[in-house]
């Protein structure tokens, strides 16, 4: 099996320490073929790397037409417990992310940049702080950069929750009936971009659109950063060309060559069957399987694992991470988790639970203020579909060996007590 | 009484953050709103013609009758893009999460 190697684009010159400002400028010299940032960004066709794949130029145009005191918000929150890409980017080359954010700020005319890193990652916070100090010492003129450290929650990385935190110190998503919606900090419009998107803007601003489009596909150009986790010997974060076969991503992390399934796109994503792992890793190839690259996570589930137990663990945790603002999410997700538990236990309750799960998924979908419940619904549907054989065994009361062992494969953080959850 | 011609469509929208599941809307506008098993409203996203006076009136009743002011009747011209004004949260309404 060919192992995918990490590309030297975003991670060029990366060591295990963050690049200093001098080393960074040495490494990434402007090629000098960029006349207008806006045109280059438009030609590059960059899409957001946070999961929604929204074209960055459209966002820039939207914000350019706004008036007021504008902000660029860099999202380095790393909401997915299985992902490490924002952390890795910010702790190998924070200056590239900051460069990109400054370019975006110039394009939309923003006067401040807010970079958000969860306070639960003290090392990353420290690296970003250092980078900001280095820049301040250089006394570069430009928009001021502030570091913000909201508490880590799954939904705190959602863009409206992040802006709500900056505005009002509460990591709760906001209601946005019309899309696209301009988020605001106070009265100032804010543009939220993922750290990886900003780093890509930093590259486009240096080397131009043509260089950028040399990799990737037509609709989704450039490279992507993937975190490979789960049942692997070397959990890995690597930057790959879009279209690399998924099996070679897995091989680079030392995964089992014949896994049972691979979870793509994070805990709000869906499962890829083990026999489909030669699919290219890009949205064009994954869309027919109703999968997407999403937030850049590939979590491997080995043959010996019980898929339905893992699914229950994830859904229970995701239900716990609901911000509990909207009824269908606050009550619906725990109900889904309970149904899955009934399926795990099997018997007559399990049979009833499976039918109920489908109905409840249909009821919950699309009724939250944010996309959190939709992600869980997608995950549950895909689990029911991919682990149909496991479910049958559980319902017949003859679960597989994986269900009896206590070994679990997906990283799910411990559930906190309701009172200990920190939102502000 | 002359005939009032109304062109266009409307959608009844609920702000799920404000809604507390009192269920009044299902009584005031039974043709538009169903309740789920937890008592929260399920409202179709399909636009309803304004010419359907009965539905429109009950949507307005529900909008006024909602104790949390979570409902909003949005007028749409074309069915496809939903372009209404964003609803600002009244500052007196607390957005704290409610206990499960
Ligand atoms: S859908 Fe869930 S996570 Fe999103 S705002 Fe509502 S309660 Fe919070
Ligand atoms: S009347 Fe208002 S608060 Fe009550 S269920 Fe309907 S929308 Fe929610």
């Amino acid at each position: 099996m060919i192992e995918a190697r990490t590309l030297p684009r975003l991670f060029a010159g990366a060591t295990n320490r963050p690049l200093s400002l001098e080393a960074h400028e040495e490494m990434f010299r402007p090629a000098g073929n960029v006349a207008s940032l806006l045109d280059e960004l438009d030609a590059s066709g960059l899409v957001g790397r946070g999961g929604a794949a929204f074209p960055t130029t459209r966002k820039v145009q939207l914000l350019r037409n706004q008036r007021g005191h504008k902000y660029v918000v860099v999202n380095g929150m790393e909401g997915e417990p299985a992902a490490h890409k924002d952390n890795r980017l910010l702790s190998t080359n924070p200056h590239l992310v900051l460069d990109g954010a400054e370019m975006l700020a110039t394009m939309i005319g923003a006067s401040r940049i807010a970079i958000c890193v969860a306070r639960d990652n003290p090392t990353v916070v420290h690296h970003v702080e250092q980078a900001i100090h280095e820049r301040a010492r250089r006394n570069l003129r430009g928009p001021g950069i502030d570091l913000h450290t909201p508490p880590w929650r799954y939904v705190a990385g959602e863009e409206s929750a992040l802006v709500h935190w900056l505005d009002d110190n509460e990591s709760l998503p906001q209601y946005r009936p019309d899309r696209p919606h301009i988020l605001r900090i106070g009265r100032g419009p804010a543009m939220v971009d993922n750290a990886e998107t900003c780093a890509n803007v930093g590259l486009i601003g240096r080397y131009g659109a043509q260089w950028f489009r040399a990799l990737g596909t037509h609709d989704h150009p450039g490279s992507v950063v993937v975190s490979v986790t789960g049942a692997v010997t070397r959990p890995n974060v690597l930057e790959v060309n879009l279209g690399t076969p998924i099996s070679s991503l897995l091989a680079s992390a030392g995964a089992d060559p014949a896994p049972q399934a691979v979870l793509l796109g994070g805990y709000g994503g869906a499962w890829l069957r083990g026999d489909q792992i030669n699919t290219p890793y890009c949205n064009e190839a994954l869309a027919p399987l109703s999968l997407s690259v999403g937030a850049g996570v590939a979590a491997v589930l080995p043959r010996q694992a019980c898929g339905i137990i893992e699914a229950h663990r994830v859904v229970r945790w995701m239900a716990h991470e609901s911000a509990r603002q909207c009824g269908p999410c606050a009550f619906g997700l725990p109900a889904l988790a309970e149904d899955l538990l009934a399926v795990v236990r099997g018997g007559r309750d399990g049979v009833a639970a499976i039918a109920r799960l489908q109905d409840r998924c249909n009821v919950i979908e699309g009724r939250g203020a944010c996309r959190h419940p939709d992600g869980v619904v997608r995950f549950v549907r895909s689990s029911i579909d991919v682990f149909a054989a496991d479910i049958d065994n559980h319902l017949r009361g003859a679960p597989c060996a994986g269900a009896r062992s206590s070994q679990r494969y997906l990283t799910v953080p411990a559930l906190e007590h309701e009172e200990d959850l920190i939102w502000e | 009484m002359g005939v009032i011609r109304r062109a266009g469509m409307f959608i009844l929208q609920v702000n799920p953050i404000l809604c507390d599941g009192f269920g009044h809307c299902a009584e005031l506008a039974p043709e538009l709103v169903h309740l789920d098993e937890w008592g929260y409203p399920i409202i179709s996203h399909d636009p309803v013609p304004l010419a359907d006076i009965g539905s429109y009136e009950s949507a307005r009743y529900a909008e006024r009758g909602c104790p949390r002011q979570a409902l909003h009747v949005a007028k749409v011209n074309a069915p496809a893009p939903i372009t209404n004004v964003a609803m600002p949260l009244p500052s007196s309404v607390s957005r704290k999460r409610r206990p499960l």
Side-chain angles (χ1 to χ4, degrees), chain A residues 164 168 170 172-175 178 181 323-327 330-332 335 360 363 367-369 418 423, chain B residues 13-19 36-38 40-42 45 82-87 95-98 100:
Chain A
H164 194 175
D168 203 16
E170 275 187 311
L172 302 175
Q174 306 170 24
Y175 174 56
D178 51 340
H181 178 95
R324 299 178 180 81
Q325 299 192 92
C326 317
F331 295 99
R360 282 181 168 166
V363 164
R367 285 181 55 226
E418 188 85 18
W423 295 96
Chain B
Q13 289 179 325
V14 59
N15 177 340
I17 296 182
L18 285 182
C19 169
D36 64 12
E37 57 185 298
W38 307 284
Y40 290 86
I42 303 175
H45 292 294
I82 307 169
T83 46
N84 65 312
V85 212
M87 231 193 320
R95 284 176 292 192
K96 290 278 179 287
R97 71 208 158 86
R98 85 184 74 83
L100 194 61

Side-chain angles (χ1 to χ4, degrees), chain A residues 8 30 71 76 127 159 168 191 226 250 253 265 271 282 288 293 304 308 314 321 330 336 348 351 353 375 384 410:
Chain A
Y71 296 81
H127 291 328
E159 56 175 9
D168 203 16
M191 176 162 82
V226 205
L250 303 186
W271 297 97
C282 61
V293 168
Q304 64 272 23
I308 201 70
V314 169
E321 280 295 312
L336 291 182
R348 205 178 300 146
V351 179
I384 296 178
L410 295 182

Side-chain angles (χ1 to χ4, degrees), chain A residues 365-367, chain B residues 10-14 43-48 79 82:
Chain A
E365 193 177 22
R367 285 181 55 226
Chain B
F10 74 94
I11 305 180
L12 186 62
Q13 289 179 325
V14 59
I43 307 172
S44 152
H45 292 294
D46 301 329
V48 183
I82 307 169

